[in-house]
Amino acid sequence: MNAPAAASGRASKAAAARSGTAPSAPTAALLGEAQAAVSTSANVLRDVRERYRAVSGASRNGQHEALATAAAGTERTSLIRIDLALQGLENAWLLLDPTDQTLVLDD
């Protein structure tokens, strides 16, 4: 998912070649910019998730078992929410891929 804007531009050109219509330069540039923004956001969220895991694991060390179990449940729920947000960003990145053929367009 770490695709630079240049790769996105190449993908736009490949999609245009298959469809027979060339996207305008401003449209292709904006699509590349949108995909890069989503990619950057996903990378930042992955970093936050890993730091959250490190901090939550360290905070449980030395706690009473019952307190640690309750904290683990809350932290697990938070990590699940972060993972869902990350999946949403990954899906958005795929949706913005101009070579994606999973969407059926009405002609």
Side-chain angles (χ1 to χ4, degrees), residues 23-50:
S24 66
T27 303
L30 288 172
L31 184 60
E33 188 177 336
Q35 199 171 20
V38 170
S39 180
T40 299
S41 298
N43 290 334
V44 169
L45 190 54
R46 282 187 196 96
D47 181 57
V48 168
R49 177 186 62 189
E50 295 310 312

Side-chain angles (χ1 to χ4, degrees), residues 15-100:
R18 281 195 307 277
S19 68
T21 60
S24 66
T27 303
L30 288 172
L31 184 60
E33 188 177 336
Q35 199 171 20
V38 170
S39 180
T40 299
S41 298
N43 290 334
V44 169
L45 190 54
R46 282 187 196 96
D47 181 57
V48 168
R49 177 186 62 189
E50 295 310 312
R51 288 185 290 142
Y52 187 94
R53 284 181 177 159
V55 169
S56 65
S59 69
R60 283 194 303 260
N61 291 340
Q63 287 183 349
H64 186 271
E65 187 175 333
L67 290 175
T69 302
T74 301
E75 290 164 0
R76 187 172 38 251
T77 300
S78 295
L79 279 171
I80 289 170
R81 289 180 178 164
I82 292 171
D83 284 336
L84 287 172
L86 184 56
Q87 287 174 7
L89 286 171
E90 290 169 346
N91 288 336
W93 187 87
L94 290 172
L95 181 65
L96 291 170
D97 182 2
T99 62
D100 183 18

